[in-house]
């Protein structure tokens, strides 16, 4: 179910009057999968709780900061209130006067189609460490606001095996994904660890 979100900053400069991240814009879904947004002001080494309850966070990014072309000084974490369940992170750290910066936004390999929308998937891009081999799968699960059995099962939507370096897949017949559907990626590699980037392109149409 939807819950308020705790936003945890880890540097005194990530503060409403600091040199780093001052405010964050959260894009997400409410308990009925409708799109909602909220702007929160950080408090340095501390926790701020959202006013809205979120079923999903789609993206979150720095709305304002205290230095021209600046960003976050340290990791900023998102978790469900009271449960310590990690949801997302605006990663990276450093100081404004060096070349080491935070990412300024979340990088989530999951997305939920909002209520009243249909998503059309147009392309998929995958990149993996050189000399590594990966199998990538893309999954969906519909009607995610229904948690009373019988509920929707997760389904394999796409699978690309034995990827080396990078692979791009364009869908000439755009694949439709219905409202209130989760989309996420899983990866199996032939090594103990590897870095992997996955991105997808799509557009949303009102039902």
């Amino acid at each position: 179910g939807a819950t308020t979100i705790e936003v945890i900053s880890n540097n005194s400069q990530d503060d409403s009057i600091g040199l780093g991240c001052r405010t964050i814009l959260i894009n997400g879904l409410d308990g009925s999968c409708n799109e909602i947004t909220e702007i929160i002001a950080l408090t340095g080494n501390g926790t701020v709780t959202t006013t809205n309850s979120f079923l999903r966070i789609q993206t979150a990014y720095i709305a304002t900061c205290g230095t021209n072309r600046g960003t976050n000084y340290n990791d900023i974490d998102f978790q469900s209130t009271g449960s310590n369940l990690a949801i997302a992170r605006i990663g990276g750290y450093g100081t404004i006067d060096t070349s080491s910066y935070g990412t300024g936004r979340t990088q989530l390999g999951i997305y939920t189609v909002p209520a009243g929308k249909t998503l059309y998937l147009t392309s998929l891009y995958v990149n993996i460490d050189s000399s590594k081999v990966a199998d990538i799968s893309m999954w969906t699960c519909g009607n995610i606001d229904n948690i009373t059995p019988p509920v929707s099962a997760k389904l394999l939507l796409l699978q690309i095996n034995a990827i080396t370096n990078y692979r791009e897949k364009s869908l000439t017949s755009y694949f439709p994904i219905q409202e209130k559907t989760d989309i996420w990626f899983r990866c199996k590699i032939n090594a103990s660890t590897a870095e992997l980037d996955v991105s997808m392109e799509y557009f949303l149409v009102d039902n």
Side-chain angles (χ1 to χ4, degrees):
T3 178
T4 55
I5 303 298
E6 294 177 342
V7 182
I8 305 168
S9 54
N10 298 286
N11 191 287
S12 60
Q13 293 298 338
D14 291 326
D15 182 88
S16 60
I17 58 172
L19 296 176
C21 172
R22 292 192 172 188
T23 60
I24 291 175
L25 176 62
I26 302 174
N27 295 297
L29 305 179
D30 66 12
S32 298
C33 296
N34 297 304
E35 294 177 294
I36 57 174
T37 62
E38 183 171 341
I39 294 179
I40 61 167
L42 297 186
T43 59
N45 287 296
T47 300
V48 180
T49 303
T50 61
T51 300
N52 291 312
S53 292
F54 290 84
L55 183 66
R56 294 286 188 271
I57 288 181
Q58 305 278 46
T59 62
Y61 61 88
I62 295 174
T64 60
C65 61
T67 303
N68 186 37
R69 296 187 179 181
T71 185
N72 52 303
Y73 265 54
N74 208 333
D75 293 340
I76 300 171
D77 296 302
F78 301 77
Q79 65 184 33
S80 55
T81 300
S83 70
N84 298 320
L85 176 65
I87 297 173
R89 168 176 288 177
I90 296 177
Y93 57 90
T95 58
I96 298 300
D97 59 351
T98 72
S99 60
S100 181
Y101 291 97
T103 59
R105 65 178 303 149
T106 54
Q107 296 175 293
L108 296 171
I110 184 170
Y111 183 79
T112 302
V113 183
K117 306 282 187 179
T118 298
L119 181 147
Y120 290 90
L121 183 65
T122 62
S123 67
L124 182 68
Y125 175 83
V126 180
N127 182 60
I128 190 169
D129 289 353
S130 60
S131 78
K132 307 290 178 62
V133 180
D135 298 335
I136 302 296
S137 56
M138 182 179 183
W139 295 81
T140 64
C141 185
N143 302 309
I144 55 93
D145 60 337
N146 175 28
I147 59 174
T148 302
V151 296
S152 298
K154 68 177 183 180
L155 300 174
L156 180 65
L157 182 65
L158 289 172
Q159 184 158 336
I160 308 175
N161 292 327
I163 295 174
T164 57
N165 296 317
Y166 71 92
R167 184 82 58 85
E168 185 170 1
K169 185 177 182 65
S170 296
L171 303 175
T172 54
S173 297
Y174 299 155
F175 196 94
I177 302 175
Q178 300 303 313
E179 65 176 355
K180 303 182 181 182
T181 297
D182 277 343
I183 306 167
W184 72 97
F185 298 92
R186 294 186 67 89
C187 171
K188 181 179 179 181
I189 58 173
N190 70 336
S192 57
T193 60
E195 292 186 2
L196 179 79
D197 300 314
V198 178
S199 62
M200 64 179 185
E201 291 184 328
Y202 61 87
F203 58 89
L204 290 174
V205 175
D206 292 336
N207 293 342

